């Protein structure tokens, strides 16, 4: 049973009503507050449970027209659907593609996993539908690595079969420097350069055939990732920090100022909307990738990896992933806002040869978390 199937109940409801001698006009038209629709009589608790289970079992993004059709059955259905499609920060659900660039839930980590394909240099992100590490999951994002002479690019897309930068499914990219110890997360933003209209002196609207709209994508910097170099050749766990340019530091503090919280929520209603903290000139990105850290924070949230502890019995560095990571790897990490803050914002670890878990929560998004994890896949000769 899917949301698409549930949407068909609206048409089947009309058929049921047509079998009566006198059809209920309120039921046929969608009804009002006093609906006598047969589906409106379904207990709200049962309806909520059914729709939530359908949403949890969806392995693909639902079409908006399907969700609207479900909400149009009657007022009780409309209220339940509105509960489901709220922001991930509130509902903990990823319903539409826009959700991948909105902050994660506040009440706990959202469990995801990444599958790596070594032959094609591609990585696919899935939302876990169950607690099992082997479930199929709901596809969220895909990335492909492109090796350049002076840097590497990871193109991130909403579709695994179309990962070109000029595609409508393009979300953003991750770019590294030559050494692979500094990365910049770039988000794609569509921009209209305007329409060229044919000359027409008539006050009427011009013929649409003579109008051509040129649309192109521009990138703006969202975050910077840096790995500490091991200049003396000492081997050990990686040390990294992430400067989240789109997220103010106040959002991760125990008491969040109301103004900062409202501004952050407003900025994230549009996945392609830039903001004063996030926006940086191309020169700034070049300075960061070449090694300059001056002026990069500017009040933005800085995440650092949680320091592992040495286990004498196992003779290795250990972190507590609460069962979500089963294979030791230098790629495994947990990110926190400060050494004193125990709240884990993002954790990433290996569970199989080409299978990794990725769990994240507020205030970062699935796109930002995925890009940070992609940086861990690169070989870093000078950092380990």
């Amino acid at each position: 049973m899917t949301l698409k199937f549930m949407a068909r109940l609206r048409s089947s409801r009309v058929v049921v009503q047509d079998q009566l001698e006198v059809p209920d006009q309120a039921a046929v038209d969608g009804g009002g507050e006093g609906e006598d629709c047969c589906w409106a009589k379904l207990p709200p608790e049962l309806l909520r449970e059914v729709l939530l289970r359908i949403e949890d079992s969806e392995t693909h993004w639902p079409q908006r027209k399907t969700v609207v059709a479900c909400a149009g059955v009657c007022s009780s259905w409309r209220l339940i659907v509105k509960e489901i499609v709220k922001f991930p920060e509130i509902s903990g659900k990823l319903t539409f593609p826009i959700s991948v660039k909105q902050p994660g839930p506040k009440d706990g980590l959202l469990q995801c996993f990444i599958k790596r394909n070594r032959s094609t240099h591609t990585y696919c992100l899935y939302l876990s539908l169950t607690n099992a590490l082997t479930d199929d999951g709901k596809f969220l994002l895909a990335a492909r690595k492109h090796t350049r002479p002076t840097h590497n690019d990871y193109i991130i897309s909403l579709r695994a079969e179309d990962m070109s930068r000029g595609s409508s499914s393009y979300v953003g990219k991750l770019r590294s420097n030559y050494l692979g110890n500094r990365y910049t997360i770039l988000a794609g933003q569509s921009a209209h350069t305007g329409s060229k209209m044919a000359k027409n002196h008539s006050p009427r609207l011009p013929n649409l055939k003579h109008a051509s709209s040129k649309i192109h994508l521009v990138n703006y910097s969202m975050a910077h990732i840096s790995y500490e170099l091991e200049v003396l050749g000492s081997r050990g766990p990686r040390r990294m920090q992430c400067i989240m340019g789109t997220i103010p530091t106040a959002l991760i503090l125990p008491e969040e100022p109301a103004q900062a919280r409202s501004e952050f929520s407003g900025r994230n209603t549009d996945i392609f909307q830039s903001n004063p903290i996030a926006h940086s000139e191309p020169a700034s990105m070049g300075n960061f990738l070449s090694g300059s850290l001056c002026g990069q924070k500017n009040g933005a949230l800085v995440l650092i990896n949680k320091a592992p502890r040495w286990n004498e019995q196992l003779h290795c560095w250990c972190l507590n992933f609460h069962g979500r990571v089963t294979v030791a790897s230098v790629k495994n990490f947990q990110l926190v806002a400060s050494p004193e803050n125990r709240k884990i914002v993002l954790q990433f670890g290996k569970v199989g040869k080409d299978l990794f878990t990725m769990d994240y929560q507020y205030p970062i998004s699935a796109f930002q978390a995925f890009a940070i994890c992609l940086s861990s896949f690169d070989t870093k000769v000078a950092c380990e």
Side-chain angles (χ1 to χ4, degrees), residues 87 96 114 156 185 203 231 251 255 268 324 334 343 351:
F87 292 134
F96 297 116
I114 299 174
I156 303 175
I185 301 175
V231 293
L251 289 177
E255 297 181 359
N268 286 276
R324 290 286 292 164
Q334 291 178 327
K343 179 183 177 180
V351 293

Side-chain angles (χ1 to χ4, degrees), residues 13-14 17-18 22-32 34-37:
R13 173 202 61 197
V14 177
Q17 294 295 334
D18 286 343
V22 181
D24 187 344
Q25 188 63 30
V28 176
D29 294 339
E35 299 158 323
D36 291 329
C37 167

Side-chain angles (χ1 to χ4, degrees), residues 180-234:
N181 69 312
R182 297 187 184 277
Y183 296 81
T184 297
I185 301 175
L186 300 167
Q189 178 176 358
S190 60
H192 289 262
T193 58
S195 300
K196 295 182 179 180
M197 297 291 183
K199 292 183 178 180
N200 192 335
H201 300 286
S202 172
R204 295 177 298 177
L205 291 176
N207 191 341
L208 294 180
K209 293 183 179 179
H210 297 286
S212 62
S213 178
K214 185 179 179 181
I215 303 175
H216 71 279
L217 292 173
V218 295
N219 291 313
Y220 67 91
S221 175
M222 290 189 72
H224 298 291
I225 309 166
S226 63
Y227 290 83
E228 186 174 332
L229 294 174
E230 297 290 353
V231 293
L232 299 180
S234 60

Side-chain angles (χ1 to χ4, degrees), residues 159 168 231 257:
R159 298 173 59 191
S168 59
V231 293

Side-chain angles (χ1 to χ4, degrees), residues 70-366:
C70 284
V73 172
C74 57
S75 60
S76 59
W77 284 53
R78 188 157 48 253
L79 293 175
I80 300 300
V81 171
K82 287 175 65 177
E83 291 182 10
I84 297 176
V85 297
K86 288 182 179 180
F87 292 134
E89 174 186 343
I90 301 173
S91 65
K93 306 284 184 181
L94 299 179
T95 305
F96 297 116
I98 192 176
S99 304
V100 299
K101 278 197 173 181
Q102 293 173 336
K106 283 187 173 182
D107 56 355
L109 293 167
L110 197 60
Q111 296 183 348
C112 307
F113 60 92
I114 299 174
K115 290 184 178 180
R116 173 178 60 182
N117 189 321
R118 295 173 182 264
S119 60
T120 59
H121 302 285
T122 57
Y123 307 82
C124 292
L125 175 66
Y126 298 86
L127 175 67
S128 299
L129 301 179
T130 65
N131 292 328
L133 297 176
T134 57
D135 67 354
D136 293 333
K138 177 179 180 178
F139 174 80
L140 299 179
L141 293 167
R144 174 176 290 140
K145 181 179 179 180
H146 297 268
T147 303
R148 314 294 186 190
T150 58
H151 64 273
N152 293 329
D153 279 339
Y154 289 84
I155 304 298
I156 303 175
S157 172
L158 290 170
R159 298 173 59 191
E161 63 275 10
D162 186 5
M163 286 189 281
S164 61
R165 187 181 180 276
S167 170
S168 59
S169 59
Y170 173 79
V171 178
K173 66 180 178 180
L174 175 74
R175 170 166 292 185
S176 73
N177 65 349
Y178 179 75
L179 294 177
N181 69 312
R182 297 187 184 277
Y183 296 81
T184 297
I185 301 175
L186 300 167
Q189 178 176 358
S190 60
H192 289 262
T193 58
S195 300
K196 295 182 179 180
M197 297 291 183
K199 292 183 178 180
N200 192 335
H201 300 286
S202 172
R204 295 177 298 177
L205 291 176
N207 191 341
L208 294 180
K209 293 183 179 179
H210 297 286
S212 62
S213 178
K214 185 179 179 181
I215 303 175
H216 71 279
L217 292 173
V218 295
N219 291 313
Y220 67 91
S221 175
M222 290 189 72
H224 298 291
I225 309 166
S226 63
Y227 290 83
E228 186 174 332
L229 294 174
E230 297 290 353
V231 293
L232 299 180
S234 60
R235 298 184 62 85
R238 293 175 177 175
R239 284 171 286 185
M240 62 184 294
Q241 74 168 10
C242 304
I243 304 174
M244 312 305 297
T246 57
I247 307 174
T249 306
L251 289 177
I252 205 66
L253 297 177
E255 297 181 359
E256 304 173 5
Q259 182 179 359
R261 184 169 59 250
S262 61
E263 289 177 356
F264 179 65
S265 300
R267 284 198 301 267
N268 286 276
T269 55
D270 185 352
I271 62 174
F272 296 122
Q273 183 177 353
S274 61
N275 56 80
I277 300 180
H279 187 73
S280 61
E281 299 298 328
S284 300
M285 181 184 70
N287 291 337
F288 175 79
L289 294 178
S290 63
S292 175
L293 286 173
C294 299
Q296 288 293 331
K297 297 183 180 180
N298 295 330
L301 173 66
V302 179
L303 300 176
I304 60 175
N305 65 306
K306 188 176 180 180
R309 295 183 178 181
W310 178 258
N311 189 308
E312 290 291 347
Q313 296 180 346
L314 300 177
H315 296 284
C316 65
W317 298 96
C318 296
L319 282 171
N320 185 9
F321 288 92
H322 302 282
R324 290 286 292 164
V325 177
T326 57
V327 180
S329 173
V330 70
K331 298 178 177 62
N332 302 346
F333 66 81
Q334 291 178 327
L335 292 184
V336 295
S338 66
E340 298 78 19
N341 193 329
R342 297 185 179 181
K343 179 183 177 180
I344 297 174
V345 177
L346 170 64
Q347 66 177 18
F348 171 79
K350 192 173 184 179
V351 293
K353 182 179 179 181
D354 293 303
L355 184 63
F356 304 80
T357 57
M358 185 200 87
D359 304 335
Y360 77 99
Q361 64 177 322
Y362 183 89
I364 67 173
S365 65

